Amino acid sequence: DIQMTQSPSALSASVGDRVTITCRASQSISSWLAWYQQKPGKAPKLLIYKASSLESGVPSRFSGSGSGTEFTLTINSLQPDDSATYYCQQYSRYWAFGQGTRVELK
Amino acid sequence: QVQLIQSGAEVKKPGASVKVSCKASGYSFIGFYMHWVRQAPGQGLEWMGWINPKTGDTDYAQKFQGRVNMTRDTSISTAYMELTSLHSDDTAVYYCAKDGGGDYVGGNWGQGTLVTVSS
């Protein structure tokens, strides 16, 4: 099974900051990597697919990069509405999720 | 627009079974795999398996093999997930999620169904 590891598990940042979350796969997944945002009591919301493709309707301050085993989600100019938990997901072979990164605003 | 509407919350006793439904609309139900994902309280997302609605073929995460059964009724565009021999750590929100096909992972999820296992 492919294991996904995210870091950090939590972070605190200020409005306007640039935030970076890293995701590592236990084996190469090419670019079959997605990022989700989840708020309490809600289903996950897709932000990025195929490592760097922005889902329709998602603000352009969200971006993704990477391939193989190392991936990054960047939020440029953090906004109050971005306070949430973020998950990476591989869909190269079945699905598997990272453990999540909680983003809080200072 | 694509919609996935799940059945309501359930309370079950340990050892019982639960069957959650996911009614799809707004797209060709048989054209896309349906996944099931669960989330225990305060925990992360856990993939349980998928079903090919066209053929009924399934593939389950090893953790749930022998205890989960995913089925579908194409006449009403509905997928089902049944989990048996429930124990307290099966308490979770269970989601269905439509696969996107090809490069696209798919961004459509059901609203979630809370299953509480308690004596």
Side-chain angles (χ1 to χ4, degrees):
Chain A
D1 291 359
I2 301 174
Q3 311 296 324
M4 306 301 292
T5 305
Q6 282 180 240
S7 61
S9 56
L11 63 89
S12 181
S14 300
V15 172
D17 283 354
R18 183 181 189 187
V19 168
T20 299
I21 300 169
T22 297
C23 180
R24 179 177 291 114
S26 60
Q27 63 189 76
S28 177
I29 57 171
S30 184
S31 295
W32 305 117
L33 191 283
W35 290 96
Y36 292 85
Q37 176 193 69
Q38 188 181 34
K39 296 185 177 181
K42 299 293 187 182
K45 174 187 175 183
L46 180 64
L47 301 175
I48 301 285
Y49 64 96
K50 207 178 178 188
S52 60
S53 295
L54 191 68
E55 171 72 340
S56 176
V58 173
S60 59
R61 63 180 180 274
F62 291 94
S63 64
S65 64
S67 66
T69 61
E70 298 279 341
F71 301 88
T72 300
L73 173 70
T74 300
I75 309 173
N76 283 300
S77 189
L78 190 70
Q79 299 299 303
D81 189 52
D82 300 336
S83 180
T85 300
Y86 294 83
Y87 293 93
C88 64
Q89 176 212 28
Q90 68 82 15
Y91 55 108
S92 173
R93 176 167 171 77
Y94 305 123
W95 282 10
F97 296 89
Q99 77 277 21
T101 296
R102 179 174 294 180
V103 174
E104 296 180 341
L105 266 71
K106 287 181 181 173
Chain B
Q1 76 282 21
V2 173
Q3 280 196 302
L4 301 174
I5 305 297
Q6 297 183 222
S7 48
E10 303 260 15
V11 179
K12 297 292 182 180
K13 294 195 180 301
S17 299
V18 69
K19 190 171 186 177
V20 179
S21 68
C22 171
K23 181 169 179 58
S25 62
Y27 72 98
S28 172
F29 177 67
I30 62 172
F32 299 89
Y33 284 28
M34 189 72 79
H35 299 260
W36 289 89
V37 175
R38 78 176 187 179
Q39 186 171 39
Q43 303 301 309
L45 301 166
E46 182 175 33
W47 181 76
M48 299 180 69
W50 66 21
I51 182 168
N52 178 344
K54 184 175 184 178
T55 64
D57 290 344
T58 56
D59 219 336
Y60 305 137
Q62 190 169 9
K63 174 177 179 177
F64 299 102
Q65 300 247 2
R67 213 161 62 90
V68 71
N69 187 35
M70 296 177 188
T71 57
R72 92 289 190 218
D73 184 338
T74 57
S75 69
I76 55 172
S77 300
T78 299
Y80 302 92
M81 187 285 300
E82 182 176 29
L83 190 62
T84 63
S85 302
L86 292 169
H87 32 82
S88 58
D89 60 4
D90 290 316
T91 294
V93 175
Y94 290 78
Y95 294 101
C96 59
K98 170 185 166 289
D99 194 87
D103 293 357
Y104 185 55
V105 68
N108 302 104
W109 291 54
Q111 83 276 19
T113 297
L114 175 62
V115 176
T116 302
V117 183
S118 173
S119 54

